[in-house]
PDB file of all heavy atoms in Angstrom:
ATOM      1  N   HIS A 239     -26.768   8.304  11.934  1.00 95.00           N
ATOM      2  CA  HIS A 239     -27.738   9.388  11.943  1.00 95.00           C
ATOM      3  C   HIS A 239     -27.063  10.610  11.345  1.00 95.00           C
ATOM      4  O   HIS A 239     -25.919  10.546  10.925  1.00 95.00           O
ATOM      5  CB  HIS A 239     -28.203   9.681  13.370  1.00 95.00           C
ATOM      6  CG  HIS A 239     -28.796   8.499  14.060  1.00 95.00           C
ATOM      7  ND1 HIS A 239     -30.083   8.103  13.878  1.00 95.00           N
ATOM      8  CD2 HIS A 239     -28.247   7.608  14.915  1.00 95.00           C
ATOM      9  CE1 HIS A 239     -30.328   7.028  14.604  1.00 95.00           C
ATOM     10  NE2 HIS A 239     -29.227   6.699  15.244  1.00 95.00           N
ATOM     11  N   ASP A 240     -27.777  11.702  11.351  1.00 95.00           N
ATOM     12  CA  ASP A 240     -27.141  12.910  10.845  1.00 95.00           C
ATOM     13  C   ASP A 240     -27.690  14.125  11.579  1.00 95.00           C
ATOM     14  O   ASP A 240     -28.903  14.302  11.678  1.00 95.00           O
ATOM     15  CB  ASP A 240     -27.381  13.050   9.354  1.00 95.00           C
ATOM     16  CG  ASP A 240     -26.627  14.218   8.769  1.00 95.00           C
ATOM     17  OD1 ASP A 240     -27.031  15.370   9.001  1.00 95.00           O
ATOM     18  OD2 ASP A 240     -25.613  13.973   8.094  1.00 95.00           O
ATOM     19  N   VAL A 241     -26.776  14.926  12.124  1.00 95.00           N
ATOM     20  CA  VAL A 241     -27.190  16.143  12.803  1.00 95.00           C
ATOM     21  C   VAL A 241     -27.435  17.196  11.728  1.00 95.00           C
ATOM     22  O   VAL A 241     -26.508  17.802  11.211  1.00 95.00           O
ATOM     23  CB  VAL A 241     -26.099  16.632  13.766  1.00 95.00           C
ATOM     24  CG1 VAL A 241     -26.595  17.816  14.557  1.00 95.00           C
ATOM     25  CG2 VAL A 241     -25.666  15.523  14.674  1.00 95.00           C
ATOM     26  N   GLY A 242     -28.690  17.375  11.362  1.00 93.00           N
ATOM     27  CA  GLY A 242     -29.017  18.343  10.322  1.00 93.00           C
ATOM     28  C   GLY A 242     -29.458  19.654  10.936  1.00 93.00           C
ATOM     29  O   GLY A 242     -30.371  19.682  11.749  1.00 93.00           O
ATOM     30  N   LEU A 243     -28.780  20.724  10.581  1.00 94.00           N
ATOM     31  CA  LEU A 243     -29.105  22.038  11.145  1.00 94.00           C
ATOM     32  C   LEU A 243     -29.429  22.987   9.995  1.00 94.00           C
ATOM     33  O   LEU A 243     -28.596  23.803   9.618  1.00 94.00           O
ATOM     34  CB  LEU A 243     -27.902  22.572  11.932  1.00 94.00           C
ATOM     35  CG  LEU A 243     -27.319  21.659  13.004  1.00 94.00           C
ATOM     36  CD1 LEU A 243     -26.008  22.217  13.514  1.00 94.00           C
ATOM     37  CD2 LEU A 243     -28.300  21.502  14.146  1.00 94.00           C
ATOM     38  N   PRO A 244     -30.635  22.881   9.426  1.00 93.00           N
ATOM     39  CA  PRO A 244     -30.906  23.659   8.218  1.00 93.00           C
ATOM     40  C   PRO A 244     -30.750  25.155   8.409  1.00 93.00           C
ATOM     41  O   PRO A 244     -30.248  25.832   7.537  1.00 93.00           O
ATOM     42  CB  PRO A 244     -32.347  23.281   7.865  1.00 93.00           C
ATOM     43  CG  PRO A 244     -32.903  22.598   9.052  1.00 93.00           C
ATOM     44  CD  PRO A 244     -31.756  22.025   9.813  1.00 93.00           C
ATOM     45  N   HIS A 245     -31.155  25.671   9.586  1.00 93.00           N
ATOM     46  CA  HIS A 245     -31.069  27.121   9.760  1.00 93.00           C
ATOM     47  C   HIS A 245     -29.643  27.609   9.862  1.00 93.00           C
ATOM     48  O   HIS A 245     -29.348  28.743   9.560  1.00 93.00           O
ATOM     49  CB  HIS A 245     -31.850  27.542  11.009  1.00 93.00           C
ATOM     50  CG  HIS A 245     -33.284  27.140  10.959  1.00 93.00           C
ATOM     51  ND1 HIS A 245     -33.738  25.976  11.520  1.00 93.00           N
ATOM     52  CD2 HIS A 245     -34.343  27.706  10.349  1.00 93.00           C
ATOM     53  CE1 HIS A 245     -35.029  25.854  11.288  1.00 93.00           C
ATOM     54  NE2 HIS A 245     -35.429  26.890  10.579  1.00 93.00           N
ATOM     55  N   PHE A 246     -28.765  26.711  10.312  1.00 93.00           N
ATOM     56  CA  PHE A 246     -27.363  27.084  10.418  1.00 93.00           C
ATOM     57  C   PHE A 246     -26.586  26.646   9.187  1.00 93.00           C
ATOM     58  O   PHE A 246     -25.379  26.834   9.112  1.00 93.00           O
ATOM     59  CB  PHE A 246     -26.745  26.460  11.676  1.00 93.00           C
ATOM     60  CG  PHE A 246     -27.465  26.820  12.934  1.00 93.00           C
ATOM     61  CD1 PHE A 246     -28.337  25.923  13.540  1.00 93.00           C
ATOM     62  CD2 PHE A 246     -27.294  28.069  13.500  1.00 93.00           C
ATOM     63  CE1 PHE A 246     -29.016  26.273  14.696  1.00 93.00           C
ATOM     64  CE2 PHE A 246     -27.974  28.416  14.662  1.00 93.00           C
ATOM     65  CZ  PHE A 246     -28.839  27.521  15.264  1.00 93.00           C
ATOM     66  N   ARG A 247     -27.283  25.998   8.227  1.00 93.00           N
ATOM     67  CA  ARG A 247     -26.698  25.564   6.952  1.00 93.00           C
ATOM     68  C   ARG A 247     -25.624  24.491   7.135  1.00 93.00           C
ATOM     69  O   ARG A 247     -24.635  24.482   6.420  1.00 93.00           O
ATOM     70  CB  ARG A 247     -26.044  26.744   6.209  1.00 93.00           C
ATOM     71  CG  ARG A 247     -26.887  27.983   6.114  1.00 93.00           C
ATOM     72  CD  ARG A 247     -27.972  27.827   5.079  1.00 93.00           C
ATOM     73  NE  ARG A 247     -28.591  29.115   4.789  1.00 93.00           N
ATOM     74  CZ  ARG A 247     -29.698  29.562   5.389  1.00 93.00           C
ATOM     75  NH1 ARG A 247     -30.312  28.822   6.295  1.00 93.00           N
ATOM     76  NH2 ARG A 247     -30.197  30.722   5.057  1.00 93.00           N
ATOM     77  N   LEU A 248     -25.804  23.611   8.079  1.00 92.00           N
ATOM     78  CA  LEU A 248     -24.775  22.611   8.316  1.00 92.00           C
ATOM     79  C   LEU A 248     -25.399  21.243   8.512  1.00 92.00           C
ATOM     80  O   LEU A 248     -26.568  21.132   8.866  1.00 92.00           O
ATOM     81  CB  LEU A 248     -23.992  22.949   9.589  1.00 92.00           C
ATOM     82  CG  LEU A 248     -23.031  24.124   9.524  1.00 92.00           C
ATOM     83  CD1 LEU A 248     -22.511  24.409  10.915  1.00 92.00           C
ATOM     84  CD2 LEU A 248     -21.883  23.834   8.590  1.00 92.00           C
ATOM     85  N   LYS A 249     -24.619  20.245   8.279  1.00 93.00           N
ATOM     86  CA  LYS A 249     -25.006  18.920   8.752  1.00 93.00           C
ATOM     87  C   LYS A 249     -23.786  18.028   8.837  1.00 93.00           C
ATOM     88  O   LYS A 249     -22.787  18.256   8.165  1.00 93.00           O
ATOM     89  CB  LYS A 249     -26.100  18.296   7.884  1.00 93.00           C
ATOM     90  CG  LYS A 249     -25.803  18.159   6.437  1.00 93.00           C
ATOM     91  CD  LYS A 249     -26.934  17.456   5.715  1.00 93.00           C
ATOM     92  CE  LYS A 249     -28.267  18.140   5.808  1.00 93.00           C
ATOM     93  NZ  LYS A 249     -28.492  19.135   4.754  1.00 93.00           N
ATOM     94  N   MET A 250     -23.869  17.060   9.711  1.00 94.00           N
ATOM     95  CA  MET A 250     -22.764  16.117   9.868  1.00 94.00           C
ATOM     96  C   MET A 250     -23.313  14.792  10.368  1.00 94.00           C
ATOM     97  O   MET A 250     -24.179  14.755  11.230  1.00 94.00           O
ATOM     98  CB  MET A 250     -21.739  16.688  10.872  1.00 94.00           C
ATOM     99  CG  MET A 250     -20.517  15.838  11.109  1.00 94.00           C
ATOM    100  SD  MET A 250     -19.620  15.361   9.623  1.00 94.00           S
ATOM    101  CE  MET A 250     -18.916  16.932   9.146  1.00 94.00           C
ATOM    102  N   ASP A 251     -22.806  13.720   9.760  1.00 94.00           N
ATOM    103  CA  ASP A 251     -23.278  12.393  10.144  1.00 94.00           C
ATOM    104  C   ASP A 251     -22.841  12.023  11.558  1.00 94.00           C
ATOM    105  O   ASP A 251     -21.774  12.428  12.008  1.00 94.00           O
ATOM    106  CB  ASP A 251     -22.721  11.341   9.184  1.00 94.00           C
ATOM    107  CG  ASP A 251     -23.512  11.264   7.894  1.00 94.00           C
ATOM    108  OD1 ASP A 251     -24.481  12.030   7.757  1.00 94.00           O
ATOM    109  OD2 ASP A 251     -23.158  10.456   7.035  1.00 94.00           O
ATOM    110  N   ALA A 252     -23.681  11.233  12.202  1.00 94.00           N
ATOM    111  CA  ALA A 252     -23.307  10.600  13.462  1.00 94.00           C
ATOM    112  C   ALA A 252     -23.060   9.138  13.135  1.00 94.00           C
ATOM    113  O   ALA A 252     -23.958   8.448  12.699  1.00 94.00           O
ATOM    114  CB  ALA A 252     -24.427  10.740  14.477  1.00 94.00           C
ATOM    115  N   VAL A 253     -21.823   8.708  13.321  1.00 94.00           N
ATOM    116  CA  VAL A 253     -21.426   7.376  12.876  1.00 94.00           C
ATOM    117  C   VAL A 253     -21.048   6.533  14.085  1.00 94.00           C
ATOM    118  O   VAL A 253     -20.245   6.985  14.908  1.00 94.00           O
ATOM    119  CB  VAL A 253     -20.218   7.467  11.920  1.00 94.00           C
ATOM    120  CG1 VAL A 253     -19.861   6.106  11.380  1.00 94.00           C
ATOM    121  CG2 VAL A 253     -20.491   8.439  10.802  1.00 94.00           C
ATOM    122  N   PRO A 254     -21.586   5.349  14.221  1.00 93.00           N
ATOM    123  CA  PRO A 254     -21.174   4.530  15.366  1.00 93.00           C
ATOM    124  C   PRO A 254     -19.694   4.174  15.250  1.00 93.00           C
ATOM    125  O   PRO A 254     -19.233   3.731  14.206  1.00 93.00           O
ATOM    126  CB  PRO A 254     -22.047   3.277  15.245  1.00 93.00           C
ATOM    127  CG  PRO A 254     -22.503   3.251  13.826  1.00 93.00           C
ATOM    128  CD  PRO A 254     -22.569   4.671  13.383  1.00 93.00           C
ATOM    129  N   GLY A 255     -18.974   4.397  16.305  1.00 90.00           N
ATOM    130  CA  GLY A 255     -17.571   3.991  16.327  1.00 90.00           C
ATOM    131  C   GLY A 255     -16.600   5.029  15.828  1.00 90.00           C
ATOM    132  O   GLY A 255     -15.406   4.903  16.049  1.00 90.00           O
ATOM    133  N   ILE A 256     -17.076   6.045  15.111  1.00 92.00           N
ATOM    134  CA  ILE A 256     -16.169   7.105  14.660  1.00 92.00           C
ATOM    135  C   ILE A 256     -16.764   8.453  15.058  1.00 92.00           C
ATOM    136  O   ILE A 256     -17.783   8.851  14.517  1.00 92.00           O
ATOM    137  CB  ILE A 256     -15.977   7.076  13.135  1.00 92.00           C
ATOM    138  CG1 ILE A 256     -15.448   5.721  12.682  1.00 92.00           C
ATOM    139  CG2 ILE A 256     -15.020   8.185  12.703  1.00 92.00           C
ATOM    140  CD1 ILE A 256     -15.369   5.585  11.191  1.00 92.00           C
ATOM    141  N   PRO A 257     -16.144   9.129  16.025  1.00 93.00           N
ATOM    142  CA  PRO A 257     -16.684  10.432  16.405  1.00 93.00           C
ATOM    143  C   PRO A 257     -16.458  11.440  15.283  1.00 93.00           C
ATOM    144  O   PRO A 257     -15.407  11.456  14.659  1.00 93.00           O
ATOM    145  CB  PRO A 257     -15.862  10.816  17.642  1.00 93.00           C
ATOM    146  CG  PRO A 257     -14.902   9.722  17.880  1.00 93.00           C
ATOM    147  CD  PRO A 257     -14.920   8.779  16.745  1.00 93.00           C
ATOM    148  N   THR A 258     -17.474  12.231  14.985  1.00 93.00           N
ATOM    149  CA  THR A 258     -17.305  13.291  14.001  1.00 93.00           C
ATOM    150  C   THR A 258     -17.515  14.625  14.693  1.00 93.00           C
ATOM    151  O   THR A 258     -17.877  14.665  15.875  1.00 93.00           O
ATOM    152  CB  THR A 258     -18.313  13.147  12.855  1.00 93.00           C
ATOM    153  OG1 THR A 258     -19.623  13.102  13.411  1.00 93.00           O
ATOM    154  CG2 THR A 258     -18.061  11.898  12.050  1.00 93.00           C
ATOM    155  N   THR A 259     -17.305  15.677  13.951  1.00 93.00           N
ATOM    156  CA  THR A 259     -17.369  16.972  14.608  1.00 93.00           C
ATOM    157  C   THR A 259     -17.795  18.070  13.642  1.00 93.00           C
ATOM    158  O   THR A 259     -17.572  17.965  12.442  1.00 93.00           O
ATOM    159  CB  THR A 259     -15.991  17.310  15.218  1.00 93.00           C
ATOM    160  OG1 THR A 259     -16.002  18.638  15.678  1.00 93.00           O
ATOM    161  CG2 THR A 259     -14.882  17.161  14.200  1.00 93.00           C
TER     162      THR A 259
END
Side-chain angles (χ1 to χ4, degrees):
Chain A
H239 303 278
D240 186 286
V241 185
L243 307 170
H245 302 95
F246 304 102
R247 312 284 192 266
L248 287 172
K249 57 177 59 88
M250 182 54 71
D251 279 0
V253 184
I256 303 174
T258 55
T259 171

